[in-house]
Amino acid sequence: MPEEKERSSDEELQKLLKKSADVEDFPDVPLDEFTPPTDEEWKAACEALLKGAPFEKKMFTKTYEGITFDPMYTRKHTEEILPKSVMPGMGDYLRGVDAAGYIGKPWGIAQACDETLPSENNELLRHENDKGSTIYHIVLDSASRAGIDARQAEKVGDTGTSVTTVDDMHTLLTGLDLKKFPLYVYAGANAVPLLALVAAARRAAGEDMANVQGIVGADPIGALVTDGKLPASLDAHYDSLAAAARWATANAPRLRTVFVRSDVYSSGGANDVQEVASVLATATAYLRALCERGLTIDEAASQIAFGFSMGANFFLQIAKLRAVRPIWAQIVKAFGGSAEAQKMRIHARPALFFKTIYDPYVNMLRNTTEIFSGVVGGIDSFESAPFDEPIRKGDEFSRRIARNIQIMLQEEFGLLQPIDPAGGSWAVETLTRQMKEKIWEEFQSIEKQGGIVEALRSGTVQDAIAKVLADRFKSANLRKDRIVGNNMYPNMTETLLETRAEDTAALKAQRTKDIDAYLSDIDAKHRDEALAALRGALSVENATEAALAGATIAELMNAVNEGKGAETVTAIAPHRWSERFEALRRRTEDYKAEKNDNVKIFLANMGPIPQHKARADFTTGFLQVGAFEVLTNDGFKTVEEAAEAARASGADAVVICSTDATYPEIVPALAPKLHEVLPNARVFLAGAAPKDLLETYKEAGIDEYISVRANCYEVLESLQKKKGMIA
């Protein structure tokens, strides 16, 4: 068998690598001409460059995970945790599950295909494969994932392709080389109906499932917290998980039927520790459920694939992937699983949370760093999302760019060559250890609550993630987290990309016509008998027979779930870190289009250009985040000139821009005049006033300050309210 050959070659390579490492140490390289500085000397040099700024505040970076990045990592501080005897593919799989890394088996390129009509998505799947994708990655629309007939669906094709009948599935899979390339489909809460359609379509085409590889997987807990409800109890969904797993073990041994995904937590704003711990707790719940239903631990673990979202913190993404593998190995080992069962199958994609609608081309750069961190961390496959994902379905251009990023990393940048490229890095090894400890602690906390389901029912997981989301929004408001093109460096000449909305009515009409045509000549009695057999005995075999008899995905889902209760929890709503600034800017643009007016800000630049330019530029960038009209000038010699120019501008607000040294003279003279000539305007001061002058400036008429410590979002929103943009 191919898998046995791969394992054998891995073992031989592990032995060879270990032998070569044990032969002799690398020779010492003398560095006598350099005098190693002490930690104290290095710190003193840094403090000199900081010019009095506090070392601990400037040189250490705190993360949302409760980890603090040190300014420098050294061998002496990490000696105990460096991997000295464990090779890739050995031990707890910290360094990867394959001894050869990507050399013999590159990571899979899983470009998502989401055209609404099955025929068009089939064309897209084959096109993507021709252009370099190595996985057939089918994205279903929300109705198909929920098991709803397209004819009754509220939104056909909203997130992907629409599948209702075995004829749809046959159309979708026609011409795909499923013996050579894996198939990836996230099935939603229950994989049995979709697996049945796939198996039925293959049988109708004269093919079996034995050589089909990849993932056609369900994640009922993930679906529960995404939607807040399930149409049947979790026990009923666990029964379906077990039925799918048993069938795959016997009929499609290279196919995984459980797909534990982290996107609901990531999109909710979770930090990396919360994301990974929640996914591990979910997978552990599935292990227990499958074993309770008769599967061995090896069979259960081999059915689970993991999907992670890669976020914006580059080094933490590497660390989290390296940390999660040994933890999962430890969990499976505790259940009695073999070394092979302890290996983790990791699929990843860029986190949608960190993508923006404004300046969307920057998303290409964000996606690239996230792919790179995933590859360095050791993913098995990656879906590179189109840069316009937050706005619309991708087109030929955006999909090509996304796909080619991965191909370039493999073919041009040589990332297939290094095995465990982060191994031995003082920084990454330290962060990996810290992430392991944090994730394990969070995982144990969830388990102590009775597991992930009880933690979700009590709301503790949702509340903890909501707190991190609030912290993220606060940091974005204060511009501690810089979102290029949104809360920093806005492009004022930008035209938003068109949403390119699909004609959902026409698509639904087409889907209805196609489904009705297929079902017009089925034997209804035979179909009903097959569905009755499925209700009497849950199995993929019975579901496949029903699908072949003409049962729709809705009828299959009803037969599987009917009369089996329901499940509800508080859902975790999806967000993006830039959404509040996008809404704020859109509000301005809509008001401008409707009223032909805008918030006008006059800059009272005092003195020659070198005196006011730095703060005038900062203020302009600060205010343009809200798409306001900023009235600039080259500066005024007197407060009278500045006040008269402000009066003539009719501005809604004025910002005095100069230097700290000149403010004590300028502000008391200018601020009262500005209030006199523009009685309804707010007066700001660029910069932060020293404590001893706060009262003086307040009495002079300074309403607020624009500085690096200002809450950008609140300042801009308050100006919109004053203008009447917000009712």
Side-chain angles (χ1 to χ4, degrees), residues 2-132:
E3 289 185 358
E4 291 176 355
K5 290 181 180 179
E6 285 182 14
R7 286 197 295 271
S8 176
S9 61
D10 275 359
E11 291 169 1
E12 292 172 3
L13 184 54
Q14 289 167 2
K15 292 176 183 177
L16 182 63
L17 290 169
K18 194 172 189 308
K19 182 179 179 181
S20 65
D22 292 340
V23 171
E24 60 179 342
D25 294 330
F26 288 104
D28 291 333
V29 178
L31 299 171
D32 299 340
E33 67 269 32
F34 298 104
T35 302
T38 65
D39 289 352
E40 291 71 22
E41 289 173 332
W42 178 83
K43 182 177 179 180
C46 286
E47 288 176 334
L49 291 173
L50 290 172
K51 298 179 179 179
F55 179 86
E56 283 72 18
K57 186 175 181 180
K58 292 293 184 181
M59 300 300 291
F60 292 85
T61 304
K62 294 181 180 179
T63 72
Y64 294 103
E65 291 72 20
I67 292 172
T68 299
F69 285 174
D70 291 348
M72 182 172 68
Y73 295 87
T74 65
R75 185 182 182 96
K76 67 181 178 181
H77 295 133
T78 53
E79 184 69 36
E80 294 182 359
I81 64 173
L82 294 178
K84 303 181 182 68
S85 59
V86 177
M87 298 296 172
M90 297 175 62
D92 58 7
Y93 306 116
L94 170 71
R95 307 189 68 185
V97 299
D98 295 310
Y102 299 126
I103 292 175
K105 186 180 180 182
W107 74 85
I109 299 175
Q111 197 64 36
C113 296
D114 57 4
E115 291 292 334
T116 298
L117 299 178
S119 58
E120 293 181 357
N121 210 39
N122 173 265
E123 292 178 10
L124 180 57
L125 285 161
R126 289 186 281 124
H127 173 73
E128 288 295 331
N129 184 250
D130 289 341
K131 296 300 182 181

Side-chain angles (χ1 to χ4, degrees), residues 579-591:
E579 64 186 31
R580 301 173 83 239
F581 281 93
E582 291 167 354
L584 184 140
R585 179 167 171 179
R586 176 63 68 88
R587 192 182 298 133
T588 297
E589 292 172 348
D590 289 346
Y591 184 88

Side-chain angles (χ1 to χ4, degrees), residues 3-11 14 88-94 96-100 105 256 287 297-298 300-306 324-333 337-346 380:
E3 289 185 358
E4 291 176 355
K5 290 181 180 179
E6 285 182 14
R7 286 197 295 271
S8 176
S9 61
D10 275 359
E11 291 169 1
Q14 289 167 2
M90 297 175 62
D92 58 7
Y93 306 116
L94 170 71
V97 299
D98 295 310
K105 186 180 180 182
R256 296 176 188 249
L287 282 182
I297 180 60
D298 280 19
S302 68
Q303 285 297 305
I304 298 177
F306 292 84
V324 71
R325 285 194 298 268
I327 297 176
W328 178 243
Q330 180 179 339
I331 292 169
V332 175
K333 185 178 181 180
S338 66
E340 186 65 25
Q342 294 169 27
K343 292 184 177 181
M344 196 176 197
R345 175 78 187 184
I346 298 178
D380 295 290

Side-chain angles (χ1 to χ4, degrees), residues 487-503:
N487 71 351
M488 293 288 288
Y489 315 118
N491 177 6
M492 299 311 298
T493 64
E494 177 178 13
T495 300
L496 282 176
L497 294 179
E498 294 181 7
T499 56
R500 208 170 49 233
E502 294 183 307
D503 187 342

Side-chain angles (χ1 to χ4, degrees), residues 102 107-113 134-139 182-186 214-215 256 258-263 275 279 304-310 320-321 324-325 344-350 370 374-375 378-385 406:
Y102 299 126
W107 74 85
I109 299 175
Q111 197 64 36
C113 296
T134 59
I135 291 171
Y136 296 121
H137 185 186
I138 298 170
V139 178
L183 174 68
Y184 276 27
V185 191
Y186 170 55
I215 308 166
R256 296 176 188 249
V258 182
F259 197 4
V260 193
R261 293 152 40 103
S262 74
D263 53 341
E275 174 197 351
V279 165
I304 298 177
F306 292 84
F308 289 108
S309 296
M310 305 307 295
K320 86 176 181 185
L321 293 182
V324 71
R325 285 194 298 268
M344 196 176 197
R345 175 78 187 184
I346 298 178
H347 174 69
R349 74 178 316 279
E370 289 156 6
V375 171
I379 45 95
D380 295 290
S381 57
F382 199 94
E383 170 199 342
S384 179
Q406 294 202 67

Side-chain angles (χ1 to χ4, degrees), residues 145-146 186-191 217-221 223-224 230-231 237 240-241 557:
R145 287 197 308 273
Y186 170 55
N190 198 318
D219 182 10
I221 296 175
L224 171 62
L230 288 177
H237 281 86
S240 292
L241 279 187
M557 191 68 81

